[in-house]
Coordinates of all heavy atoms in Angstrom, one line a residue:
M20 N -2.4 -13.1 -4.9 CA -3.3 -12.3 -5.8 C -2.7 -10.9 -6.0 O -2.6 -10.4 -7.1 CB -4.7 -12.2 -5.2 CG -5.5 -11.2 -5.8 SD -6.9 -11.9 -6.7 CE -7.8 -10.4 -7.1
M21 N -2.2 -10.3 -5.0 CA -1.6 -8.9 -5.1 C -0.4 -8.9 -5.9 O -0.2 -8.0 -6.7 CB -1.3 -8.4 -3.7 CG -1.0 -6.9 -3.7 SD -2.5 -5.9 -4.2 CE -1.7 -4.5 -4.8
M22 N 0.4 -10.0 -5.8 CA 1.6 -10.0 -6.6 C 1.3 -10.1 -8.1 O 1.9 -9.4 -9.0 CB 2.5 -11.2 -6.2 CG 3.0 -11.1 -4.8 SD 4.1 -9.7 -4.5 CE 5.6 -10.2 -5.3
E23 N 0.3 -10.9 -8.5 CA -0.1 -11.1 -9.9 C -0.7 -9.8 -10.4 O -0.3 -9.3 -11.5 CB -1.1 -12.2 -10.1 CG -0.6 -13.6 -9.8 CD -0.6 -13.9 -8.3 OE1 -1.2 -13.2 -7.5 OE2 -0.1 -15.0 -8.0
A24 N -1.5 -9.1 -9.6 CA -2.1 -7.8 -10.0 C -0.9 -6.8 -10.1 O -1.0 -6.0 -11.1 CB -3.1 -7.4 -9.0
G25 N 0.0 -6.8 -9.2 CA 1.2 -5.9 -9.3 C 2.0 -6.1 -10.6 O 2.3 -5.1 -11.3
H26 N 2.3 -7.4 -10.9 CA 3.0 -7.6 -12.1 C 2.3 -7.1 -13.3 O 2.9 -6.4 -14.2 CB 3.2 -9.2 -12.3 CG 4.4 -9.7 -11.7 ND1 5.7 -9.4 -12.1 CD2 4.5 -10.5 -10.6 CE1 6.6 -10.0 -11.3 NE2 5.9 -10.7 -10.4
A27 N 1.0 -7.4 -13.4 CA 0.2 -6.9 -14.5 C 0.2 -5.4 -14.6 O 0.4 -4.8 -15.7 CB -1.2 -7.4 -14.4
F28 N 0.0 -4.7 -13.5 CA 0.0 -3.2 -13.4 C 1.3 -2.7 -14.0 O 1.4 -1.8 -14.8 CB -0.2 -2.8 -12.0 CG 0.0 -1.3 -11.8 CD1 -1.0 -0.4 -12.2 CD2 1.2 -0.8 -11.3 CE1 -0.8 1.0 -12.1 CE2 1.4 0.5 -11.2 CZ 0.4 1.4 -11.6
F29 N 2.5 -3.2 -13.5 CA 3.8 -2.7 -13.9 C 4.1 -3.0 -15.3 O 4.7 -2.2 -16.0 CB 4.9 -3.2 -13.0 CG 4.8 -2.6 -11.6 CD1 4.5 -3.3 -10.5 CD2 5.0 -1.2 -11.4 CE1 4.4 -2.7 -9.2 CE2 5.0 -0.6 -10.2 CZ 4.7 -1.4 -9.1
Q30 N 3.6 -4.1 -15.8 CA 3.9 -4.5 -17.2 C 3.0 -3.8 -18.2 O 3.4 -3.4 -19.3 CB 3.8 -6.0 -17.4 CG 4.9 -6.7 -16.7 CD 4.8 -8.2 -16.7 OE1 3.7 -8.7 -17.1 NE2 5.8 -8.9 -16.3
E31 N 1.7 -3.6 -17.8 CA 0.7 -3.1 -18.8 C 0.4 -1.6 -18.6 O 0.0 -0.9 -19.6 CB -0.6 -3.9 -18.6 CG -0.4 -5.3 -18.9 CD -1.5 -6.2 -18.5 OE1 -2.6 -5.7 -18.1 OE2 -1.4 -7.4 -18.5
T32 N 0.5 -1.0 -17.4 CA 0.1 0.3 -17.1 C 1.2 1.3 -16.9 O 1.3 2.4 -17.4 CB -0.9 0.4 -16.0 OG1 -2.0 -0.5 -16.3 CG2 -1.4 1.7 -15.7
N33 N 2.1 0.9 -16.0 CA 3.1 1.8 -15.5 C 4.2 2.1 -16.6 O 4.6 1.1 -17.3 CB 3.8 1.2 -14.2 CG 4.7 2.2 -13.6 OD1 4.4 3.3 -13.3 ND2 6.0 1.8 -13.5
D34 N 4.6 3.3 -16.7 CA 5.7 3.7 -17.5 C 6.7 4.4 -16.7 O 6.6 5.7 -16.5 CB 5.2 4.5 -18.7 CG 6.3 4.8 -19.7 OD1 7.5 4.7 -19.4 OD2 5.9 5.2 -20.8
A35 N 7.7 3.7 -16.1 CA 8.7 4.3 -15.2 C 9.5 5.5 -15.9 O 9.7 6.5 -15.2 CB 9.6 3.2 -14.7
V36 N 9.8 5.3 -17.1 CA 10.6 6.3 -17.8 C 9.8 7.6 -17.9 O 10.2 8.7 -17.7 CB 11.1 5.8 -19.2 CG1 11.8 7.0 -20.0 CG2 12.0 4.7 -19.0
A37 N 8.5 7.5 -18.3 CA 7.6 8.6 -18.5 C 7.4 9.3 -17.1 O 7.4 10.5 -17.0 CB 6.3 8.2 -19.1
N38 N 7.2 8.5 -16.1 CA 7.0 9.0 -14.7 C 8.2 9.9 -14.3 O 8.1 11.0 -13.8 CB 6.8 7.9 -13.7 CG 5.4 7.2 -13.9 OD1 4.6 7.6 -14.6 ND2 5.3 6.1 -13.2
D39 N 9.4 9.3 -14.6 CA 10.6 10.1 -14.2 C 10.8 11.3 -15.1 O 11.1 12.4 -14.6 CB 11.9 9.2 -14.4 CG 12.0 8.2 -13.2 OD1 11.3 8.3 -12.2 OD2 12.8 7.3 -13.4
S40 N 10.6 11.2 -16.4 CA 10.7 12.3 -17.3 C 9.7 13.5 -16.9 O 10.1 14.6 -17.0 CB 10.5 11.9 -18.7 OG 11.5 11.0 -19.1
N41 N 8.5 13.1 -16.6 CA 7.5 14.1 -16.3 C 7.5 14.5 -14.9 O 6.8 15.5 -14.5 CB 6.1 13.5 -16.6 CG 5.9 13.2 -18.1 OD1 6.5 13.9 -18.9 ND2 5.1 12.2 -18.4
E42 N 8.3 13.8 -14.1 CA 8.4 14.1 -12.6 C 7.0 14.0 -11.9 O 6.7 14.8 -11.0 CB 9.0 15.5 -12.4 CG 10.5 15.5 -12.9 CD 11.1 16.8 -12.6 OE1 10.5 17.8 -12.1 OE2 12.3 17.0 -13.0
S43 N 6.2 13.2 -12.4 CA 4.8 13.0 -11.9 C 4.3 11.6 -12.3 O 4.8 11.0 -13.3 CB 3.9 14.1 -12.2 OG 3.6 14.1 -13.6
I44 N 3.2 11.2 -11.6 CA 2.5 10.0 -12.0 C 1.1 10.4 -12.5 O 0.4 11.2 -11.8 CB 2.4 9.1 -10.7 CG1 3.7 8.8 -10.1 CG2 1.6 7.8 -11.1 CD1 3.7 8.2 -8.7
P45 N 0.7 9.9 -13.7 CA -0.6 10.3 -14.2 C -1.7 10.0 -13.3 O -1.7 9.0 -12.6 CB -0.7 9.5 -15.5 CG 0.7 9.2 -15.9 CD 1.5 9.0 -14.6
E46 N -2.7 10.9 -13.3 CA -3.9 10.7 -12.4 C -4.6 9.3 -12.6 O -5.0 8.7 -11.7 CB -4.9 11.8 -12.6 CG -6.0 11.8 -11.6 CD -5.5 12.1 -10.2 OE1 -4.6 12.9 -10.0 OE2 -6.2 11.6 -9.3
G47 N -4.7 8.9 -13.9 CA -5.3 7.6 -14.2 C -4.6 6.5 -13.6 O -5.1 5.5 -13.1
Q48 N -3.3 6.6 -13.6 CA -2.4 5.5 -13.0 C -2.6 5.5 -11.5 O -2.7 4.5 -10.8 CB -1.0 5.8 -13.3 CG 0.0 4.7 -12.9 CD 1.4 4.9 -13.5 OE1 1.5 5.4 -14.6 NE2 2.4 4.5 -12.7
L49 N -2.7 6.7 -10.8 CA -2.9 6.8 -9.4 C -4.2 6.1 -9.0 O -4.3 5.4 -8.0 CB -2.9 8.2 -8.9 CG -1.5 8.9 -9.1 CD1 -1.6 10.4 -8.7 CD2 -0.5 8.3 -8.2
E50 N -5.2 6.4 -9.8 CA -6.6 5.8 -9.6 C -6.5 4.3 -9.7 O -7.2 3.6 -8.9 CB -7.6 6.4 -10.5 CG -8.0 7.8 -10.2 CD -8.6 8.0 -8.8 OE1 -9.4 7.1 -8.4 OE2 -8.2 9.0 -8.2
E51 N -5.8 3.8 -10.7 CA -5.6 2.3 -10.8 C -4.9 1.7 -9.7 O -5.3 0.6 -9.2 CB -4.9 2.0 -12.1 CG -4.9 0.5 -12.4 CD -4.5 0.0 -13.8 OE1 -4.5 0.9 -14.7 OE2 -4.2 -1.2 -13.9
M52 N -3.9 2.4 -9.2 CA -3.2 1.9 -8.0 C -4.1 1.9 -6.8 O -4.1 0.9 -6.0 CB -2.0 2.9 -7.7 CG -0.9 2.8 -8.7 SD 0.3 4.1 -8.6 CE 0.9 3.9 -6.9
K53 N -4.9 2.9 -6.7 CA -5.9 2.9 -5.6 C -6.9 1.7 -5.7 O -7.2 1.0 -4.7 CB -6.7 4.2 -5.6 CG -7.7 4.4 -4.5 CD -8.4 5.7 -4.7 CE -9.5 5.9 -3.7 NZ -10.3 7.1 -3.9
A54 N -7.4 1.5 -6.9 CA -8.3 0.4 -7.1 C -7.7 -1.0 -6.8 O -8.4 -1.9 -6.4 CB -8.8 0.4 -8.6
L55 N -6.4 -1.1 -7.1 CA -5.7 -2.4 -6.8 C -5.4 -2.5 -5.3 O -5.0 -3.6 -4.9 CB -4.4 -2.4 -7.6 CG -4.5 -2.6 -9.1 CD1 -3.2 -2.4 -9.8 CD2 -5.1 -4.0 -9.4
G56 N -5.5 -1.5 -4.5 CA -5.2 -1.6 -3.1 C -3.8 -1.2 -2.8 O -3.3 -1.6 -1.7
M57 N -3.1 -0.6 -3.7 CA -1.7 -0.3 -3.4 C -1.4 0.8 -2.4 O -0.3 1.0 -1.9 CB -1.0 0.1 -4.7 CG -0.9 -1.1 -5.7 SD -0.3 -0.7 -7.3 CE 1.5 -0.3 -6.9
Y58 N -2.5 1.5 -2.0 CA -2.3 2.5 -0.9 C -2.7 1.9 0.5 O -2.6 2.6 1.5 CB -3.2 3.7 -1.2 CG -2.6 4.5 -2.4 CD1 -3.3 4.6 -3.6 CD2 -1.4 5.2 -2.3 CE1 -2.8 5.3 -4.6 CE2 -0.9 5.9 -3.3 CZ -1.6 6.0 -4.5 OH -1.1 6.7 -5.6
G59 N -3.2 0.7 0.5 CA -3.5 0.1 1.8 C -3.0 -1.3 1.9 O -3.6 -2.2 2.4
L60 N -1.7 -1.5 1.5 CA -1.2 -2.8 1.5 C -1.1 -3.4 2.9 O -1.3 -4.6 3.0 CB 0.2 -2.8 0.9 CG 0.3 -2.4 -0.6 CD1 1.8 -2.2 -1.1 CD2 -0.4 -3.5 -1.5
M61 N -0.8 -2.7 3.9 CA -0.7 -3.2 5.2 C -1.9 -2.8 6.1 O -1.9 -3.1 7.3 CB 0.6 -2.8 5.9 CG 1.8 -3.4 5.1 SD 3.3 -3.3 5.9 CE 3.1 -4.4 7.3
V62 N -2.9 -2.2 5.5 CA -4.1 -1.8 6.3 C -5.0 -3.1 6.4 O -5.2 -3.8 5.5 CB -4.9 -0.7 5.5 CG1 -6.2 -0.4 6.2 CG2 -4.0 0.5 5.4
P63 N -5.5 -3.3 7.6 CA -6.4 -4.5 7.8 C -7.6 -4.4 6.9 O -8.1 -3.3 6.5 CB -6.9 -4.3 9.3 CG -5.8 -3.5 9.9 CD -5.3 -2.6 8.9
E64 N -8.1 -5.6 6.5 CA -9.2 -5.7 5.5 C -10.5 -5.0 6.1 O -11.3 -4.5 5.3 CB -9.5 -7.2 5.2 CG -8.4 -7.7 4.3 CD -8.7 -9.2 3.9 OE1 -9.5 -9.9 4.6 OE2 -8.1 -9.7 3.0
E65 N -10.6 -5.1 7.4 CA -11.8 -4.5 8.0 C -11.9 -3.0 7.8 O -13.0 -2.4 7.9 CB -11.9 -4.8 9.5 CG -10.8 -4.2 10.3 CD -10.7 -4.8 11.7 OE1 -10.1 -5.8 11.9 OE2 -11.4 -4.1 12.6
Y66 N -10.8 -2.4 7.4 CA -10.7 -1.0 7.1 C -10.6 -0.7 5.6 O -10.2 0.4 5.2 CB -9.6 -0.3 7.9 CG -9.8 -0.4 9.4 CD1 -9.0 -1.2 10.1 CD2 -10.8 0.4 10.0 CE1 -9.2 -1.3 11.5 CE2 -11.0 0.2 11.4 CZ -10.2 -0.6 12.1 OH -10.4 -0.7 13.5
G67 N -10.8 -1.7 4.8 CA -10.7 -1.6 3.4 C -9.3 -1.8 2.8 O -9.1 -1.5 1.6
G68 N -8.4 -2.3 3.5 CA -7.0 -2.5 3.1 C -6.8 -3.9 2.5 O -7.7 -4.7 2.4
T69 N -5.6 -4.1 2.0 CA -5.2 -5.4 1.4 C -4.7 -6.4 2.5 O -4.7 -7.6 2.2 CB -4.1 -5.1 0.4 OG1 -4.5 -4.1 -0.5 CG2 -3.8 -6.3 -0.5
A70 N -4.2 -5.9 3.6 CA -3.8 -6.7 4.7 C -2.7 -7.6 4.4 O -2.7 -8.8 4.8 CB -5.0 -7.4 5.4
L71 N -1.6 -7.2 3.7 CA -0.5 -8.0 3.5 C 0.3 -8.2 4.8 O 0.4 -7.3 5.6 CB 0.5 -7.4 2.4 CG -0.1 -7.2 1.0 CD1 1.1 -6.6 0.1 CD2 -0.6 -8.4 0.4
T72 N 0.9 -9.4 4.9 CA 1.8 -9.6 6.0 C 3.1 -8.9 5.8 O 3.3 -8.4 4.6 CB 2.1 -11.1 6.1 OG1 2.8 -11.5 4.9 CG2 0.9 -12.0 6.3
N73 N 3.9 -8.8 6.8 CA 5.2 -8.1 6.6 C 6.0 -8.7 5.5 O 6.6 -8.1 4.7 CB 6.0 -8.1 7.9 CG 5.5 -7.1 8.9 OD1 4.8 -6.2 8.6 ND2 5.7 -7.4 10.2
T74 N 6.0 -10.1 5.4 CA 6.7 -10.8 4.4 C 6.2 -10.5 3.0 O 6.9 -10.2 2.0 CB 6.7 -12.3 4.6 OG1 7.2 -12.6 5.9 CG2 7.5 -13.1 3.6
M75 N 4.9 -10.5 2.8 CA 4.3 -10.2 1.5 C 4.5 -8.7 1.1 O 4.7 -8.4 0.0 CB 2.8 -10.5 1.5 CG 2.5 -12.0 1.5 SD 3.3 -12.9 0.2 CE 2.6 -12.1 -1.3
Y76 N 4.5 -7.9 2.1 CA 4.7 -6.5 1.8 C 6.2 -6.3 1.3 O 6.4 -5.5 0.4 CB 4.5 -5.6 3.1 CG 4.8 -4.2 2.9 CD1 4.1 -3.4 2.0 CD2 5.9 -3.6 3.5 CE1 4.4 -2.0 1.8 CE2 6.2 -2.2 3.3 CZ 5.5 -1.5 2.5 OH 5.8 -0.2 2.2
A77 N 7.1 -7.0 1.9 CA 8.5 -6.9 1.5 C 8.6 -7.5 0.1 O 9.3 -6.9 -0.8 CB 9.4 -7.7 2.4
K78 N 7.9 -8.6 -0.2 CA 8.0 -9.1 -1.6 C 7.4 -8.1 -2.6 O 7.9 -8.0 -3.7 CB 7.3 -10.5 -1.6 CG 8.0 -11.6 -0.9 CD 7.3 -12.9 -1.0 CE 8.1 -14.0 -0.3 NZ 7.5 -15.3 -0.5
F79 N 6.3 -7.5 -2.2 CA 5.7 -6.5 -3.1 C 6.6 -5.3 -3.3 O 6.7 -4.8 -4.4 CB 4.3 -6.0 -2.5 CG 3.5 -5.3 -3.6 CD1 2.8 -6.0 -4.5 CD2 3.5 -3.9 -3.6 CE1 2.1 -5.3 -5.5 CE2 2.8 -3.2 -4.6 CZ 2.1 -3.9 -5.5
G80 N 7.3 -4.9 -2.2 CA 8.4 -3.9 -2.4 C 9.5 -4.3 -3.3 O 9.9 -3.5 -4.1
E81 N 9.9 -5.5 -3.3 CA 10.9 -6.0 -4.3 C 10.3 -5.9 -5.7 O 11.0 -5.5 -6.6 CB 11.2 -7.5 -4.0 CG 12.1 -7.6 -2.7 CD 12.4 -9.1 -2.4 OE1 11.9 -10.0 -3.1 OE2 13.2 -9.3 -1.5
L82 N 9.1 -6.3 -5.9 CA 8.4 -6.3 -7.2 C 8.4 -4.9 -7.7 O 8.7 -4.6 -8.8 CB 7.0 -6.9 -7.1 CG 6.1 -6.7 -8.3 CD1 6.6 -7.6 -9.4 CD2 4.7 -7.0 -8.0
T83 N 8.0 -3.9 -6.8 CA 7.9 -2.5 -7.2 C 9.2 -2.0 -7.6 O 9.4 -1.3 -8.6 CB 7.3 -1.7 -6.0 OG1 6.0 -2.2 -5.7 CG2 7.1 -0.3 -6.4
G84 N 10.3 -2.3 -6.8 CA 11.6 -1.9 -7.1 C 12.2 -2.5 -8.4 O 13.0 -1.8 -9.1
E85 N 11.7 -3.6 -8.8 CA 12.1 -4.2 -10.0 C 11.7 -3.4 -11.2 O 12.4 -3.4 -12.2 CB 11.5 -5.7 -10.1 CG 11.9 -6.4 -11.3 CD 11.2 -7.8 -11.3 OE1 10.9 -8.4 -10.2 OE2 11.0 -8.3 -12.4
Y86 N 10.5 -2.8 -11.1 CA 10.0 -2.1 -12.2 C 10.1 -0.5 -12.1 O 10.4 0.1 -13.2 CB 8.4 -2.3 -12.3 CG 8.1 -3.7 -12.8 CD1 7.8 -4.7 -11.9 CD2 8.2 -4.0 -14.2 CE1 7.5 -6.0 -12.4 CE2 7.9 -5.3 -14.6 CZ 7.6 -6.3 -13.7 OH 7.3 -7.5 -14.2
D87 N 10.0 0.0 -10.9 CA 10.0 1.5 -10.8 C 10.3 1.9 -9.4 O 9.4 1.9 -8.5 CB 8.6 2.0 -11.3 CG 8.5 3.5 -11.4 OD1 9.4 4.2 -10.9 OD2 7.6 4.0 -12.0
L88 N 11.6 2.3 -9.2 CA 12.0 2.7 -7.8 C 11.2 4.0 -7.3 O 10.9 4.1 -6.2 CB 13.5 3.0 -7.8 CG 14.3 1.7 -7.9 CD1 15.8 2.1 -8.0 CD2 14.1 0.7 -6.8
G89 N 11.0 4.9 -8.2 CA 10.2 6.1 -7.8 C 8.8 5.8 -7.3 O 8.4 6.3 -6.3
L90 N 8.2 4.9 -8.0 CA 6.8 4.5 -7.6 C 6.9 3.7 -6.3 O 6.0 3.8 -5.5 CB 6.2 3.7 -8.7 CG 4.7 3.5 -8.6 CD1 4.0 4.9 -8.8 CD2 4.2 2.6 -9.6
G91 N 8.0 3.0 -6.2 CA 8.2 2.2 -4.9 C 8.3 3.2 -3.7 O 7.7 2.9 -2.7
I92 N 9.0 4.3 -3.9 CA 9.1 5.3 -2.8 C 7.7 5.9 -2.6 O 7.3 6.1 -1.4 CB 10.1 6.4 -3.2 CG1 11.5 5.7 -3.2 CG2 10.1 7.5 -2.2 CD1 12.6 6.6 -3.9
H93 N 7.0 6.2 -3.6 CA 5.7 6.8 -3.5 C 4.7 5.9 -2.8 O 4.0 6.3 -1.8 CB 5.1 7.1 -4.9 CG 3.7 7.5 -5.0 ND1 3.3 8.8 -4.8 CD2 2.5 6.8 -5.1 CE1 2.0 8.9 -4.9 NE2 1.5 7.7 -5.1
T94 N 4.7 4.6 -3.2 CA 3.9 3.6 -2.5 C 4.3 3.4 -1.1 O 3.4 3.3 -0.2 CB 3.9 2.3 -3.3 OG1 3.5 2.6 -4.7 CG2 2.9 1.3 -2.8
G95 N 5.6 3.2 -0.9 CA 6.1 3.0 0.5 C 5.8 4.1 1.4 O 5.4 3.8 2.6
A96 N 5.8 5.3 1.0 CA 5.5 6.5 1.9 C 4.1 6.4 2.3 O 3.7 6.7 3.5 CB 5.8 7.8 1.1
H97 N 3.2 5.9 1.4 CA 1.8 5.8 1.8 C 1.5 4.7 2.8 O 0.5 4.6 3.4 CB 0.9 5.7 0.6 CG 0.7 7.0 -0.1 ND1 1.6 7.5 -1.1 CD2 -0.3 7.9 0.0 CE1 1.2 8.6 -1.5 NE2 0.1 8.9 -0.9
Q98 N 2.4 3.8 2.9 CA 2.3 2.7 3.9 C 2.9 3.0 5.2 O 2.5 2.5 6.2 CB 3.0 1.4 3.3 CG 2.6 1.0 1.9 CD 1.2 0.9 1.7 OE1 0.4 0.3 2.4 NE2 0.7 1.5 0.6
S99 N 3.9 3.8 5.2 CA 4.7 4.0 6.4 C 4.4 5.2 7.2 O 4.6 5.2 8.5 CB 6.2 3.9 6.1 OG 6.5 5.0 5.2
I100 N 4.0 6.3 6.6 CA 3.9 7.6 7.4 C 2.6 7.5 8.2 O 1.5 7.9 7.7 CB 4.0 8.8 6.4 CG1 5.3 8.8 5.7 CG2 3.7 10.1 7.2 CD1 5.4 9.8 4.6
G101 N 2.7 7.1 9.4 CA 1.6 7.1 10.3 C 0.7 5.9 10.2 O -0.2 5.7 11.1
T102 N 0.8 5.1 9.2 CA -0.2 4.0 9.0 C -0.2 3.0 10.2 O -1.3 2.8 10.8 CB 0.0 3.3 7.7 OG1 -0.1 4.2 6.7 CG2 -1.1 2.2 7.5
K103 N 0.9 2.4 10.5 CA 1.0 1.4 11.6 C 0.7 2.1 12.9 O 0.0 1.5 13.7 CB 2.4 0.8 11.6 CG 2.6 -0.2 10.6 CD 3.8 -1.0 10.8 CE 3.9 -2.1 9.8 NZ 5.1 -3.0 10.1
E104 N 1.1 3.3 13.1 CA 0.9 4.0 14.4 C -0.6 4.2 14.5 O -1.2 4.1 15.6 CB 1.6 5.3 14.4 CG 3.1 5.2 14.6 CD 3.8 4.8 13.3 OE1 3.2 4.9 12.2 OE2 5.0 4.4 13.3
Y105 N -1.3 4.6 13.4 CA -2.7 4.9 13.5 C -3.5 3.6 13.9 O -4.3 3.7 14.8 CB -3.2 5.4 12.1 CG -4.7 5.5 12.1 CD1 -5.4 6.6 12.6 CD2 -5.5 4.5 11.5 CE1 -6.7 6.7 12.6 CE2 -6.9 4.6 11.5 CZ -7.5 5.7 12.1 OH -8.9 5.8 12.1
F106 N -3.2 2.5 13.3 CA -3.9 1.3 13.6 C -3.6 0.7 15.0 O -4.4 0.1 15.7 CB -3.8 0.2 12.5 CG -4.6 0.6 11.3 CD1 -4.0 1.1 10.2 CD2 -6.0 0.6 11.3 CE1 -4.7 1.6 9.1 CE2 -6.7 1.0 10.2 CZ -6.1 1.5 9.1
S107 N -2.3 1.0 15.4 CA -1.9 0.6 16.7 C -2.7 1.5 17.8 O -3.2 1.0 18.8 CB -0.4 0.9 16.9 OG -0.1 0.7 18.2
M108 N -2.9 2.8 17.5 CA -3.7 3.6 18.3 C -5.1 3.2 18.4 O -5.8 3.1 19.5 CB -3.6 5.1 17.9 CG -4.4 6.0 18.7 SD -4.6 7.7 17.9 CE -5.6 7.3 16.5
V109 N -5.7 2.8 17.3 CA -7.1 2.4 17.2 C -7.3 1.1 18.1 O -8.2 1.0 18.8 CB -7.5 2.1 15.7 CG1 -8.9 1.3 15.7 CG2 -7.7 3.4 15.0
T110 N -6.3 0.2 18.0 CA -6.4 -1.0 18.8 C -6.3 -0.7 20.3 O -7.1 -1.3 21.1 CB -5.2 -2.0 18.4 OG1 -5.3 -2.3 17.0 CG2 -5.2 -3.2 19.2
R111 N -5.4 0.2 20.7 CA -5.3 0.6 22.1 C -6.6 1.2 22.6 O -7.0 0.9 23.7 CB -4.1 1.5 22.3 CG -2.8 0.8 22.2 CD -1.6 1.7 22.7 NE -1.6 3.1 22.1 CZ -1.0 3.4 21.0 NH1 -0.3 2.5 20.3 NH2 -1.0 4.6 20.6
L112 N -7.2 2.1 21.7 CA -8.4 2.7 22.1 C -9.6 1.7 22.3 O -10.4 1.8 23.2 CB -8.8 3.8 21.1 CG -8.0 5.1 21.1 CD1 -8.4 6.0 20.0 CD2 -8.2 5.8 22.5
R113 N -9.6 0.8 21.4 CA -10.7 -0.3 21.5 C -10.5 -1.1 22.8 O -11.5 -1.4 23.4 CB -10.6 -1.2 20.3 CG -11.2 -0.7 19.1 CD -11.2 -1.8 18.0 NE -11.8 -1.4 16.8 CZ -11.8 -2.0 15.7 NH1 -11.1 -3.1 15.6 NH2 -12.4 -1.6 14.6
K114 N -9.3 -1.4 23.1 CA -9.0 -2.2 24.3 C -9.4 -1.4 25.6 O -10.0 -1.9 26.5 CB -7.6 -2.6 24.4 CG -7.2 -3.7 23.5 CD -5.7 -4.1 23.6 CE -5.4 -5.2 22.6 NZ -3.9 -5.5 22.7
R115 N -9.2 -0.1 25.5 CA -9.5 0.7 26.7 C -11.0 0.9 26.8 O -11.5 1.0 27.9 CB -8.9 2.1 26.5 CG -8.5 2.7 27.8 CD -7.8 4.1 27.7 NE -6.9 4.2 26.5 CZ -6.6 5.4 26.1 NH1 -7.0 6.5 26.6 NH2 -5.7 5.5 25.0
R116 N -11.7 0.9 25.7 CA -13.2 1.1 25.8 C -13.9 -0.3 26.0 O -15.1 -0.3 26.3 CB -13.7 1.7 24.5 CG -13.2 3.1 24.3 CD -13.7 3.7 23.1 NE -13.2 5.1 22.9 CZ -13.3 5.8 21.8 NH1 -13.8 5.2 20.7 NH2 -12.8 7.0 21.8
S117 N -13.2 -1.4 25.8 CA -13.9 -2.7 25.9 C -14.1 -3.0 27.4 O -13.3 -2.6 28.3 CB -13.0 -3.8 25.4 OG -12.8 -3.6 24.0
P118 N -15.3 -3.6 27.7 CA -15.5 -3.9 29.1 C -14.5 -4.9 29.6 O -14.1 -5.8 28.9 CB -16.9 -4.5 29.1 CG -17.3 -4.8 27.7 CD -16.3 -4.0 26.8
Q119 N -14.1 -4.7 30.8 CA -13.1 -5.6 31.4 C -13.8 -6.7 32.2 O -14.6 -6.4 33.1 CB -12.1 -4.9 32.3 CG -11.3 -3.8 31.6 CD -10.4 -4.3 30.5 OE1 -9.7 -5.3 30.7 NE2 -10.5 -3.7 29.4
F120 N -13.6 -7.9 31.9 CA -14.2 -9.0 32.6 C -13.2 -9.8 33.4 O -12.1 -9.9 33.2 CB -14.9 -10.0 31.6 CG -16.0 -9.4 30.8 CD1 -15.8 -9.0 29.5 CD2 -17.2 -9.1 31.4 CE1 -16.8 -8.4 28.7 CE2 -18.2 -8.6 30.6 CZ -18.0 -8.2 29.3

């Protein structure tokens, strides 16, 4: 589902040349990316994310790179800077607070 939505977004909404020329991504496009779940690709569903596996995330990265490398960097940064560490920390805290039987 995410791949199909991604293809549609890149073909119908995204304008890589305009993004590069303007050195920015239009606010409406950022909102659409948010609505599609592009900022939470690897975030668990229980936290409102898309919960892609590593393989699906890599495939989505290939798709993004096919259309717009700049947007791929933008999207990738939102997945990698602290995201996995944050959810790893949450998991460790939950285990520590869980009763030990």
Side-chain angles (χ1 to χ4, degrees):
M20 165 115 175
M21 191 66 207
M22 296 300 284
E23 293 84 6
H26 274 291
F28 170 80
F29 288 114
Q30 291 173 348
E31 298 166 11
T32 302
N33 187 57
D34 185 343
V36 175
N38 292 348
D39 285 348
S40 296
N41 297 328
E42 298 179 359
S43 67
I44 303 166
E46 190 65 34
Q48 187 172 327
L49 295 173
E50 288 299 318
E51 186 169 344
M52 291 168 60
K53 181 180 174 183
L55 289 171
M57 292 174 70
Y58 290 112
L60 294 172
M61 297 193 67
V62 174
E64 287 180 346
E65 64 190 88
Y66 298 107
T69 309
L71 295 184
T72 64
N73 287 336
T74 303
M75 288 305 300
Y76 176 67
K78 289 181 180 185
F79 194 81
E81 289 177 355
L82 171 71
T83 304
E85 181 182 331
Y86 288 100
D87 188 342
L88 291 175
L90 195 66
I92 293 167
H93 173 86
T94 305
H97 283 84
Q98 309 308 310
S99 62
I100 301 173
T102 303
K103 283 190 174 186
E104 291 77 13
Y105 174 80
F106 288 105
S107 175
M108 178 191 69
V109 168
T110 301
R111 287 192 309 273
L112 287 172
R113 280 185 176 169
K114 285 180 182 177
R115 213 177 324 158
R116 291 181 182 164
S117 296
Q119 301 297 315
F120 296 103

